[in-house]
Amino acid sequence: MLLALAAIWGSSFMFIKVAVREVAPGEVVFGRVVVGTLALIPAAPLLVGRERTLAALRRFWFPLLLLGVFNAALPFWFLAWSEKRLDSGLAAVLQASMPLFTAAITYAVSQTQRVTGLRFAGVVVGFLGVLLLVGEQPRGDVLSALAVLLTAFLYAASSVYAGERLREAPALVISLGSLAFATVATLPLGLAELPGSVPGWKVIGSVVALGAAGLSLAYLLYFSLIVGSGAPYAALVTYLVPALALVYGAIFLGESVTGTDLGGLALILAGVALGTGALRRRRLDSARVSDLLHEHVERFNAGVRTGDWAPMVERFGENAEIEFHGVPVGPFVGRAAIAAAYREQPPDDELRVLEQRQVNGRIEARYAWLAEPDVAAGELFLTPSGGEIRKLVVTFDRGVTWS
């Protein structure tokens, strides 16, 4: 799934290059967001629920409007405009600097997060790679390269903003809402730049691919990766996209890959790995997920003893889910629903973990009840997200064993 996502996003730069050869950037962007919005309209209610989708759109309309402008309409246009002159592979490499801008913006706006030590060195190294690539461009192409960097900056600023204002919104609804507002924002320019004749099939196919695959399908894959394997694993796509874009450009568009391109790519990706703390975070993720499970078990057992389930429920995300397999209850969605379920049907025994393992960022455990501490009662499947429980599946399967 990760490779499929990287392949789709890596090809987006190639499709943009093909499209802007015949039509104006505004037309490419408008067609892209229209197709993406139309593809997500049936997906969001189906996967999130109609009522929940409409409620989230009403509640978060203004942040979604800002994302539509600054995370879609403007950066999409700057990228399309820049590829009128730049190779698609080079644009992808420059845009890979987005996590560096995220680290810098987070440092500027946060009083608690500081970029020091290796992370500061990583930001410096990454921007040296950016300077290498921009400085290598002919005078007429420098402005185009800077436009790609502005795209990366807008993506970074939007991600920081969304992390603060849209924590409680379903990710798929964020995608749908922001693209819908982007469609409205780009409509005037899209109509003004309509071509005088019907574009060729390559252009039409490229725009459809940018919307249907590069936005809607890619979003579904990306958020599925986050839910199933965790955000750190999904973030690995950052390292694959620019390399694949260089390959696409070389094979299908005849673009040259220079030593400067490869050197700049190496510096940027090394800077991203250090500057975002990705290397250190990957070493700590395993311990953090394990701690989350043990904390859940401790709070669960405390709830059994005291009847107070509030501390346990605090570790669940606002829109977390819990499922029970083997008993006719649930599923329950949302922290409030989970708390009500435990209050109304409280367990009468404490549990203990017999053994556990981690698979793609999710923790799995065999558990037993205290009354029979050596007999497995079932399994727990815990999916974390941002230090909270995103989803918990509890099975009741007495005597279950692992091979």
Side-chain angles (χ1 to χ4, degrees):
M1 192 179 293
L2 182 70
L3 288 176
L5 177 61
I8 291 172
W9 274 345
S11 67
S12 294
F13 297 89
M14 174 186 68
F15 288 128
I16 292 172
K17 186 69 175 181
V18 171
V20 296
R21 286 174 174 173
E22 293 188 28
V23 298
E27 190 64 25
V28 174
V29 175
F30 177 65
R32 180 182 186 183
V33 295
V34 166
V35 173
T37 302
L38 293 176
L40 285 177
I41 284 176
L46 179 64
L47 298 177
V48 179
R50 180 176 176 273
E51 295 300 324
R52 189 179 173 197
T53 297
L54 292 176
L57 290 174
R58 286 193 296 267
R59 178 183 176 186
F60 299 105
W61 71 270
F62 186 69
L64 292 174
L65 168 63
L66 293 182
L67 281 189
V69 174
F70 295 102
N71 191 58
L74 286 177
F76 287 176
W77 189 89
F78 282 122
L79 185 60
W81 179 83
S82 69
E83 287 199 43
K84 295 285 285 186
R85 299 183 65 93
L86 294 182
D87 285 349
S88 63
L90 175 60
V93 172
L94 287 170
Q95 190 173 292
S97 63
M98 188 271 281
L100 301 176
F101 285 109
T102 303
I105 293 171
T106 301
Y107 171 78
V109 302
S110 173
Q111 298 297 318
T112 58
Q113 300 188 49
R114 290 290 179 261
V115 182
T116 59
L118 285 177
R119 296 189 67 182
F120 178 77
V123 173
V124 173
V125 168
F127 280 116
L128 285 176
V130 170
L131 291 174
L132 173 65
L133 291 172
V134 174
E136 187 69 14
Q137 303 310 308
R139 182 182 298 273
D141 294 345
V142 170
L143 189 58
S144 297
L146 293 176
V148 180
L149 293 180
L150 180 56
T151 296
F153 174 81
L154 290 172
Y155 283 148
S158 298
S159 68
V160 174
Y161 174 78
E164 292 295 325
R165 295 296 304 275
L166 293 168
R167 290 179 179 176
E168 299 179 7
L172 197 55
V173 176
I174 295 175
S175 303
L176 172 60
S178 61
L179 286 180
F181 279 117
T183 299
V184 175
T186 58
L187 176 62
L189 187 59
L191 294 178
E193 295 186 342
L194 282 175
S197 59
V198 178
W201 68 269
K202 289 184 179 180
V203 173
I204 295 175
S206 295
V207 173
V208 171
L210 285 168
L215 292 180
S216 58
L217 178 58
Y219 280 157
L220 292 175
L221 289 174
Y222 183 61
F223 296 127
S224 297
L225 277 172
I226 290 177
V227 172
S229 303
Y233 181 77
L236 293 176
V237 72
T238 303
Y239 302 92
L240 299 175
V241 167
L244 287 173
L246 285 172
V247 172
Y248 286 134
I251 294 177
F252 297 107
L253 302 178
E255 297 175 350
S256 60
V257 180
T258 67
T260 302
D261 293 337
L262 296 177
L265 174 62
L267 287 173
I268 290 173
L269 295 187
V272 168
L274 293 172
T276 60
L279 296 178
R280 182 173 179 269
R281 184 168 59 245
R282 290 181 66 188
R283 292 197 297 268
L284 294 177
D285 277 340
S286 177
R288 287 175 178 170
V289 174
S290 181
D291 289 343
L292 190 59
L293 172 69
H294 288 301
E295 184 178 0
H296 169 71
V297 171
E298 290 177 359
R299 295 190 179 201
F300 174 92
N301 291 339
V304 172
R305 294 191 297 268
T306 65
D308 182 8
W309 297 99
M312 185 200 75
V313 177
E314 287 176 357
R315 299 304 292 150
F316 285 84
E318 182 67 27
N319 299 310
E321 302 175 41
I322 186 167
E323 296 180 6
F324 297 96
H325 296 175
V327 294
V329 295
F332 303 98
V333 179
R335 188 183 295 156
I338 295 171
Y342 275 92
R343 286 195 303 268
E344 294 169 5
Q345 294 182 303
D348 57 6
D349 198 2
E350 299 180 31
L351 61 82
R352 63 187 295 263
V353 173
L354 298 177
E355 59 179 325
Q356 66 185 61
R357 63 192 179 192
Q358 291 192 43
V359 180
N360 291 333
R362 183 181 75 171
I363 192 162
E364 304 174 356
R366 288 195 313 131
Y367 72 93
W369 299 114
L370 193 59
E372 295 182 288
D374 299 318
V375 179
E379 295 172 287
L380 302 172
F381 301 93
L382 186 153
T383 302
S385 177
E388 297 179 324
I389 298 174
R390 173 66 184 86
K391 185 172 184 178
L392 178 64
V393 178
V394 182
T395 73
F396 295 86
D397 186 7
R398 180 180 170 82
V400 62
T401 61
W402 286 351
S403 58

